[in-house]
């Protein structure tokens, strides 16, 4: 019995039969590498990274069963067997009858929003992920975030900080007019809000509002399994349900979803749209054929579709989800114990460090998050990413920085890739960093691109 059994150490619920070596580097080497990269970890080669926490997207380890499925992929242009296996699996879990594969999540978003959005339209979401917002805006519409106030307080500990603020959502619908809202989106878990989950009660509430105003309701479903497990752990009435049952109930309240399979389908590439509305599906397939491919492969190989179908099964395994959520919390709790201020409670896929609180001696204009990112790499070859004023900062007319609301460092955890001793190593790196935090130095930007500057910016120490 999983729920009554008392675990000691939560071990990785898998054995390793294929390994990828990590190249160890010395501090001296890392100093040269970081300087060469202009103090920007996006510019570092992965072979020079010891623990890579840059993203959880497309970085999952596939199982033996997934690699096996890859060998039986049917690469027929039309009507491939692999498509039908994929379609059946998505229908079984998500409950939407129509399934359209795409090469990744943003391709699904592009097809959805370019069909239903345009100038004068508004799309509410708990928090838009950056590619979602970009696709809404590229289609001429306005993206509106309606996150619950709880989700905006980094230190507040409540169970569902990813919830939609239902009053705010209804106010937006009334103000803008239901006819100008082609879809309401709900992101599970709320990636840009720290990977925080959404409760079933809130999902039901969003669904009821959408019915009341006759607006379609779609999920951004990237981390649906992690969200389902948080519901099981935290929401009354769900403790004895399986993650599959919970996922089915979540999607039963909606009209469709977009999905990046690079997250909770445990593959390195892929995505899909699933929905109930055949009229929309016809329009989606028209664009799909121009930009992605024929509707039974949509920009993916048959073998990719096989791996997704298999991954969707594995991701709902309770032992896997238990390990996944506990191992993220393990890292979070251990670095919090060292006095590192983190966003609470830890989300499903990542741990966020509050850089402003950790390095009060570094002014915002000297990017404390980037200073910590550099420190993590120098100290232990750990690659993280700044999510603060480097990523979201802008300038006023006089060239003065308008900072982001929060200065965070994100440690995103790839699925099934690292073991507890890797996590212990990262905790030790933090221990050293905390001990020498006064030595962390601010940086200035010496070169930047006009948009999405964080990818390519070059820095130097102040
Ligand atoms: C990753 C992600 C996307 C985009 O998916 P890609 O596969 O990277 O294109 C959309 N929404 C959320 C919440 C995501 O995390």
């Amino acid at each position: 019995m999983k729920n009554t059994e008392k675990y000691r150490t939560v071990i990785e619920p898998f054995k390793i039969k294929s390994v990828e070596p990590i190249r160890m580097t010395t501090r001296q080497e890392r100093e040269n590498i970081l300087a060469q990269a202009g103090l920007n970890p996006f510019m570092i080669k992965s072979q020079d990274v010891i623990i890579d926490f840059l993203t959880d997207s497309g970085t999952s380890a596939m199982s033996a069963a997934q690699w096996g499925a890859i060998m039986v992929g049917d690469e027929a242009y039309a009507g491939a067997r692999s498509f039908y296996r994929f379609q059946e699996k998505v229908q079984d879990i998500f409950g939407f009858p129509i399934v359209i594969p795409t090469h990744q999540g943003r391709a699904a978003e592009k097809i959805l929003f370019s069909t239903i959005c345009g100038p004068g339209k508004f799309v509410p979401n708990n928090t838009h992920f950056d590619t979602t917002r970009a696709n809404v805006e590229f289609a001429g519409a306005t993206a509106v975030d309606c996150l619950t106030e709880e989700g905006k307080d980094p230190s507040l500990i409540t169970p569902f900080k990813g919830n939609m603020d239902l009053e705010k959502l209804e106010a937006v619908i009334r103000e803008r007019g239901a006819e100008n809202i082609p879809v309401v989106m709900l992101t599970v878990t709320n990636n840009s809000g720290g990977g925080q989950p959404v409760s079933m009660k809130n999902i039901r509430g969003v669904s009821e509002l959408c019915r009341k105003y006759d607006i379609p309701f779609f999920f951004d479903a990237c981390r649906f399994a992690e969200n389902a497990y948080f519901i099981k752990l935290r929401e009354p009435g769900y403790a004895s349900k399986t993650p599959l049952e919970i996922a089915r109930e979540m999607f039963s309240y909606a009209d469709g979803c977009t999905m990046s399979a690079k997250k909770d389908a445990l593959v390195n590439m892929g995505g899909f749209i699933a929905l109930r509305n055949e009229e929309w599906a016809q329009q989606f397939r028209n664009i799909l054929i121009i930009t992605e491919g024929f509707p039974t492969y949509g920009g993916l190989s048959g073998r990719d579709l096989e791996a997704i179908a298999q991954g969707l099964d594995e991701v709902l395994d309770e032992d896997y989800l238990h390990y996944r959520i506990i191992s993220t919390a393990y890292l979070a709790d251990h670095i919090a114990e060292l006095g590192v201020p983190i966003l609470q409670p830890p989300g499903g896929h990542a741990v966020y460090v509050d850089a402003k609180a950790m390095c009060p001696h570094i002014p915002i204009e000297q990017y404390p998050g980037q200073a910590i990112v550099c420190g993590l790499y120098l100290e232990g070859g750990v690659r993280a990413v700044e999510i603060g004023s480097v990523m979201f900062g802008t300038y006023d007319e006089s060239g003065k920085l308008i900072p982001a609301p929060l200065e965070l460092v994100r440690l995103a955890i790839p699925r099934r890739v690292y073991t507890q001793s890797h996590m212990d190593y990262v905790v030790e790196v933090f221990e050293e960093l905390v001990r020498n935090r006064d030595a962390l130095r601010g940086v200035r930007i010496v070169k930047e691109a006009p948009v999405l500057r964080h990818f390519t910016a070059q820095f130097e120490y102040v």
Side-chain angles (χ1 to χ4, degrees), residues 104-106 109 129 131 187 191 220 222-223 260 262-263:
Q104 61 183 93
R106 70 197 69 184
E109 293 169 347
F129 180 64
T131 62
T187 307
N191 183 0
D220 180 338
C222 301
R223 298 177 182 80
S260 168
K262 299 171 73 170
K263 284 71 174 240

Side-chain angles (χ1 to χ4, degrees), residues 12 35 38 106 115 176 219-220 247 341 344 348 398 447:
E12 291 78 19
R106 70 197 69 184
T115 305
R176 302 301 182 184
F219 277 100
D220 180 338
Q344 291 284 8
S398 69
K447 210 174 124 206

Side-chain angles (χ1 to χ4, degrees), residues 56-57 103-109 127-132 187-192 220-223 258-263 269-271 349:
D56 67 317
S57 178
H103 81 275
Q104 61 183 93
R106 70 197 69 184
E109 293 169 347
T127 310
H128 284 84
F129 180 64
D130 52 11
T131 62
T132 322
T187 307
V188 291
T189 57
N190 189 28
N191 183 0
S192 304
D220 180 338
C222 301
R223 298 177 182 80
T258 56
M259 171 83 186
S260 168
K262 299 171 73 170
K263 284 71 174 240
M269 191 53 70
H349 70 290

